[in-house]
Amino acid sequence: MTEAEVDVVTYEVQGTTAIVRLNRPQYRNAQNSAVTYALDAAFTRAVNDDEVKVIILAGNGDHFCAGHDIGTPGRDIDKSFERKAVIWYDHVGAQGVDARFARESEVYLGMCRRWREIPKPMIAMVHGACIAGGLMLAWSCDFIVASDDAFFQDPVVRMGIPGVEYFAHPWVTNPRFAKEMLYTGERVPAQRAYEVGMVNHVVPRAELEERTLAIAERIGQMPRIGLTLTKKAVNQAEDLMGQRAGMDSVFGLHHAAHAHNAEVGGDSLGGVNHKTIRDAEEKK
C-alpha cells in the first residue's frame, strides 16, 4: 500500500476527547502540505462535533513530528492547495520569494495561527522527536504533555534561518533560553523543557496517553463557553505581550534568510536536509 492510499492523519473520539494523530510514522511524521490540510480537516471535524470538548494532537509511531518535510518522496512543495488561512495567490508557478512567502504564509504561519484560535482546548501529546515544524504544531496547542523520552529542537539556524515560521520561542520559554535553544540547535530534553515552562507535564512513556486523556476529561467537565472565552482571554494577553507582532517581524527575517541562501548557494535551505541534520547529530 502506497502512502497516497493511507490517511496521513487519523481521527478518533474517546469520551469527550478527539484524538488527532499524525500518521506518517515511516518518515517520523514529517509534515507536508497533505498533512497540513488533513490536520485542518480533522480539527474542523472536532470543532463541529458538539460531543467533543477537548482535542489532543499526537503522532503515530516512534515520534511526534520530525518537522517540515524537506526530503521524503511525499514532499509536495510544488503542488497547489486550497488556501484557508490567508487570502493569497497560488505559489505554484511563482518564483523566489514570491513563491516561498505565499506558500509559507498559508501552510505554516497562517495555519498555525488558525489552529491557535480553535475555540476548544487543545493538548499536544508529545513523545520522541518534536523538531522544528513539530514545535509549531505543539505550540499551536494550549499546552503540552510530554513523555520522559521526548525532546524538542529547532536546528534551522544551521540553515542560516532565525527559527521556524511560527516564531513563538521567546513566549513559550523565555528570551534567554530561546537564544540558547536557537544558537546551539541542540535537543532540549522533556524535563528541561518543563523547567523553562514550555511543557506542562512530563510523564513516563507508558503512561502518556492515559495521563493526557485524564487531563482532557477533567477539562471536558467545564462548560464549553467558559473554556472558549478563557482560551481567547489568554491568547489575547499573549498578543498584547507582542507575540503576533513579533512573529510578523521574524517571518520577514525568515524569508530574508531563505532569499540569501538561494542567492548565494542556489538552495533556499542552505544545502541542509534531513540527512545533513541527522549526520550532524550523530557526530556529537
Side-chain angles (χ1 to χ4, degrees):
M1 183 177 291
T2 67
E3 185 182 9
E5 298 172 307
V6 177
D7 290 336
V8 294
V9 167
T10 63
Y11 182 94
E12 63 178 303
V13 176
Q14 294 191 32
T16 60
T17 303
I19 307 175
V20 177
R21 300 181 198 265
L22 302 162
N23 192 38
R24 300 182 78 206
Q26 70 275 39
Y27 302 120
R28 301 198 297 170
N29 291 323
Q31 180 192 2
N32 58 12
S33 294
V35 168
T36 295
Y37 288 94
L39 284 173
D40 192 71
F43 294 151
T44 300
R45 178 178 175 182
V47 169
N48 289 336
D49 185 344
D50 287 341
E51 299 301 314
V52 169
K53 301 291 288 292
V54 181
I55 303 166
I56 291 175
L57 174 61
N60 283 322
D62 295 332
H63 300 281
F64 176 74
C65 178
H68 296 328
D69 186 340
I70 59 174
T72 84
R75 192 182 187 206
D76 52 9
I77 190 171
D78 294 323
K79 292 185 179 180
S80 297
F81 44 75
E82 179 185 359
R83 285 162 296 285
K84 292 186 175 181
V86 298
I87 299 176
W88 213 285
Y89 41 73
D90 195 340
H91 71 290
V92 176
Q95 295 181 335
V97 175
D98 196 22
R100 288 190 295 273
F101 199 94
R103 180 176 182 272
E104 294 189 2
S105 292
E106 164 72 15
V107 177
Y108 298 149
L109 179 60
M111 274 295 187
C112 285
R113 282 180 166 172
R114 171 178 166 89
W115 299 334
R116 177 178 177 256
E117 299 302 322
I118 286 172
K120 294 183 179 182
M122 293 181 62
I123 304 171
M125 183 169 69
V126 176
H127 71 289
C130 181
I131 302 172
L135 293 174
M136 295 169 53
L137 298 180
W139 290 346
S140 297
C141 298
D142 298 304
F143 62 85
I144 300 171
V145 180
S147 62
D148 51 12
D149 68 339
F151 68 88
F152 303 82
Q153 183 180 23
D154 189 353
V156 302
V157 174
R158 188 179 299 277
M159 303 175 182
I161 297 172
V164 290
E165 295 85 352
Y166 187 81
F167 190 83
H169 310 61
W171 291 273
V172 298
T173 61
N174 59 70
R176 290 189 184 279
F177 188 80
K179 289 178 181 178
E180 178 183 346
M181 183 181 187
L182 289 163
Y183 289 171
T184 66
E186 293 179 350
R187 296 180 176 184
V188 179
Q191 183 60 34
R192 180 64 172 141
Y194 171 79
E195 290 167 358
V196 298
M198 186 198 305
V199 167
N200 296 72
H201 301 275
V202 179
V203 303
R205 173 70 175 268
E207 300 175 17
L208 178 62
E209 185 160 335
E210 178 184 0
R211 298 274 290 273
T212 307
L213 278 167
I215 294 170
E217 288 301 313
R218 288 203 302 275
I219 294 171
Q221 296 172 16
M222 296 292 188
R224 182 174 70 179
I225 186 63
L227 293 170
T228 296
L229 295 181
T230 299
K231 178 169 183 171
K232 196 164 189 65
V234 177
N235 283 359
Q236 288 176 168
E238 282 186 314
D239 288 340
L240 288 170
M241 290 186 279
Q243 179 171 294
R244 186 177 182 90
M247 283 187 184
D248 283 338
S249 66
V250 178
F251 193 63
L253 299 176
H254 181 98
H255 282 279
H258 273 318
H260 172 80
N261 288 340
E263 182 177 348
V264 172
D267 175 8
S268 67
L269 299 181
V272 176
N273 56 40
H274 66 290
K275 292 181 180 179
T276 58
I277 292 175
R278 184 173 297 177
D279 289 345
E281 287 294 322
E282 290 175 352
K283 289 178 181 178
K284 292 180 179 179

